[in-house]
């Protein structure tokens, strides 16, 4: 039997997981809606302003320090990739792709991260992983075919695919930093 403290932590973890899934799922239709009033650039600035304010408050609460000087270049590269380049590709892509297919395209990011991890970080990826990734990419191809009746990668969909690759590359670039820093610290430095 679990102690009340352990049960409380498990409940909080499930609540956090549920909130993350809800926010992620709502991001695609919310972005499409926001793009009716904002340009992709203005939406990016609004998102990062809000995220910076929230993470700045969190950083003060958690007393997040500064990174080591040797890691500043990597953090800057990741910040430009995950901040500027990813958001620009995502926002511009969302202008012409509906929410469902957009989510499926962006969801290829873990596939690209696994491939990059295997190639660049020498992570092991078994045959089950390769089969799963192939199935995921085939599913995205089927969605692309279903939209028009033929496989057509329109500019918006191509931008979303670029966003997925950028997201994946940023995950792979962050991994070596996790040996020295916590997730909260890295998140704060990349956004604030």
């Amino acid at each position: 039997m679990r102690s009340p403290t352990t049960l409380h932590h498990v409940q909080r973890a499930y609540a956090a997981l549920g909130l993350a899934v809800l926010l992620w799922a709502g991001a695609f239709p919310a972005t499409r809606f926001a793009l009716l009033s904002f340009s992709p650039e203005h939406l990016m600035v609004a998102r990062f302003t809000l995220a910076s304010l929230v993470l700045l408050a969190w950083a003060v609460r958690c007393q997040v320090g500064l990174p080591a000087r040797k890691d500043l270049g990597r953090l800057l590269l990741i910040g430009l990739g995950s901040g500027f380049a990813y958001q620009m590709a995502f926002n511009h892509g969302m202008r012409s792709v509906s929410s469902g297919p957009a989510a499926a395209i962006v969801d290829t990011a873990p596939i690209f991260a696994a491939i990059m991890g295997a190639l660049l970080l020498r992570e092991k990826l078994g045959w089950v992983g390769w089969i799963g990734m192939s199935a995921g990419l085939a599913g995205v191809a089927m969605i692309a075919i279903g939209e028009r009746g033929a496989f057509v990668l329109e500019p918006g969909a191509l931008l979303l695919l670029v966003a997925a690759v950028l997201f994946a590359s940023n995950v792979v670039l962050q991994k070596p930093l996790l040996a020295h820093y916590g997730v909260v610290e890295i998140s704060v430095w990349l956004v604030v």
Side-chain angles (χ1 to χ4, degrees), residues 126-149:
W127 62 273
V128 173
W130 288 106
I131 290 172
M133 289 188 304
S134 299
L137 290 174
V140 171
M142 287 174 31
I143 289 170
I145 290 170
E147 283 281 296
R148 299 272 192 253

Side-chain angles (χ1 to χ4, degrees), residues 16-33:
L17 179 62
L19 180 62
V21 169
L22 182 65
L23 290 173
W24 176 88
F28 293 91
T31 299
R32 293 269 303 167
F33 182 74

Side-chain angles (χ1 to χ4, degrees), residues 160-182:
L160 291 171
L161 193 59
V162 167
V165 171
L166 285 166
F167 187 89
S169 63
N170 291 324
V171 168
V172 172
L173 285 170
Q174 285 180 40
K175 187 160 184 184
L177 294 173
L178 291 172
H180 308 287
Y181 305 110

